[in-house]
Amino acid sequence: MLAQGLGSFVVWILYGIVQARRSQSIRASVGRLNRLQRGLFGAGLMVGGILLLFGGFVGLQAIGALGHEAMTTLGWILATLVGLAFVHCQTMGMAMLVSLALDGVTPEIRQTSTSSGPIREP
């Protein structure tokens, strides 16, 4: 079961890396949502991902896909897919929530409205 778990873990990490490399396009797609949608969907994805993960593994146990020594082949595939769904929910949810904090941040350098000359005392 250790080899199966490590195999799934590698797949999940690789998907996380793919998501990180797509961060620019994820930010753009998340930016199309309004603040309320980002807050609700983001929190929903974070919590929903956890529920999906635990529910998925409870379901795998219920159908007998998780044995004492190893998972069945179908169980391993389903566990990997459940984990991928969890990683996706977490990355998208966090992107939405982080975007709420970054709304007021200007990405480019702009000219200041104050003078850079010496301050004169009256």
Side-chain angles (χ1 to χ4, degrees), residues 54-71:
F54 286 119
F57 281 101
V58 167
L60 288 172
Q61 180 65 34
I63 65 170
L66 305 177
H68 290 293
E69 299 295 322
M71 292 182 267

Side-chain angles (χ1 to χ4, degrees), residues 46-110:
M46 295 296 287
V47 173
I50 292 168
L51 294 175
L52 175 74
L53 182 70
F54 286 119
F57 281 101
V58 167
L60 288 172
Q61 180 65 34
I63 65 170
L66 305 177
H68 290 293
E69 299 295 322
M71 292 182 267
T72 64
T73 302
L74 177 63
W76 178 74
I77 292 168
L78 292 175
T80 302
L81 293 175
V82 166
L84 281 173
F86 170 74
V87 171
H88 183 76
C89 288
Q90 296 296 294
T91 56
M92 295 304 292
M94 187 54 65
M96 289 178 190
L97 295 176
V98 167
S99 74
L100 295 173
L102 298 178
D103 269 350
V105 177
T106 305
E108 68 270 353
I109 298 173
R110 292 191 176 174

Side-chain angles (χ1 to χ4, degrees), residues 6-48:
L6 286 175
S8 294
F9 184 73
V10 167
V11 170
W12 301 332
I13 294 298
L14 290 174
Y15 183 68
I17 292 169
V18 167
Q19 287 291 83
R21 291 186 178 177
R22 292 183 52 235
S23 64
Q24 199 70 357
S25 65
I26 290 172
R27 256 181 277 164
S29 67
V30 165
R32 292 185 202 109
L33 302 172
N34 66 42
R35 286 185 63 79
L36 178 62
Q37 289 171 325
R38 284 182 279 159
L40 292 175
F41 291 153
L45 283 170
M46 295 296 287
V47 173

